[in-house]
Amino acid sequence: MVKKVFRDKNEEWLFVYRVLYFIEFCILFLAWFLKRYPFPQTFFLFMSSVSIIGGFAIYLWNLRRTGFSIEKILAGIFALAFLILLPTSDYLDTAVDDLNMILFFLLSVSVDRDDDKLIKALFYFKMVVGILVLFAYNGHVIQDVSGIRPHTDIVRHSYGFMHPNSLGMIFIGLVFDFSLIKKSYNFTGGLVMLLAALLVFAVTDSRTSFFIALAIILCYFLKPILSKVKVSGYAIMPFVVGMFALGLALPRYFTPDNPIFVTLNHLFTGRTGIGHAYLEQFGLNWMPRNIPTFTEINGIPMYDDSFYVDSLLRQGIILFCLYPIFLLVQLKGKKFTLFHSLLFLLTFFINTMEHYGATVQICSILLLNYFALSEDKLEDKY
């Protein structure tokens, strides 16, 4: 009888923990997503502060609940390093990607891997956010930010998401989650995702989002086969290091006269050339600096979309290296299905062109502890 009471009490607290973890994730998503809209600065400072406090609260509760480990200790140290070394204005206001990184360290080690409803709940939450934005757009509360693609005269629309690429980004987040929550293969579901990808591409003309969506959908169609293959985390490590090296080497050694680099620059929608210009303009430093994401170089307005180049320049070499180190520590000793491994590696390809490849709110697959196989659980989780 006593054991039953304690078991029921523990289950109640576990339910509360899972709910608060989900709420913290939602707050972080809103703090990051709403940055695109003209809210007062005090609102963003409040949302970012609540996200950080909530993240550390969840992290400390998880430490008490499940105990210490190397990756949990490193997560706390790395998060504190970002808080201390980066300017406060960065992660509270101007550079929301730094806020994402701080909370990623904390939330990735605090996730309850037995919470089978987490990804489905996040999918529905993102869906509700997207629906509310569209309602606001149709109600003329938010305007359609449109533009014309140079050389093609294609009109691009945002439909309330403030930028066409932002609409494509939210769609990528939904495709990621949908492919992850469907345990069994569903041909109709794959066709619906493909149709949605074509519609979003027709509206936004976002080639990056379209090709990323196609890659995820292809993995989804092959999910029954890919899920049967188990991959060691040690086998994934070289690809992680290689993608980081490639993401920095391409812009570093880019030359506009080389046809190979020209082709790659076209493949990465001009990000390689822009990254090269930023590296030439600002150089490298060990410590964080105030590097503008949008600036003018040699009289040409530029926006640095690449996660690798932007993070390296702003955060400095020391902080920049903490993210790949943390991922390697999380991969150590774990196994994943080939399906999850490919989706995880896809995030590093995204990082060559967009920041959100390292954003757990969009790429839920970054919750490595959650998707890792375990001895006591069935291997077909998600």
Side-chain angles (χ1 to χ4, degrees), residues 38 59 73 77 133 179 240 252 347 364 373:
Y59 170 75
I73 295 173
I77 294 174
V133 170
S179 65
V240 173
R252 170 65 181 84
T347 64
S364 303
L373 301 176

Side-chain angles (χ1 to χ4, degrees), residues 37-38 131-145 159-162:
Y37 299 91
I131 291 173
L132 291 176
V133 170
L134 291 174
F135 269 125
Y137 164 71
N138 288 321
H140 306 291
V141 177
I142 305 176
Q143 293 182 344
D144 176 27
V145 179
Y159 289 159
F161 288 86
M162 300 309 290

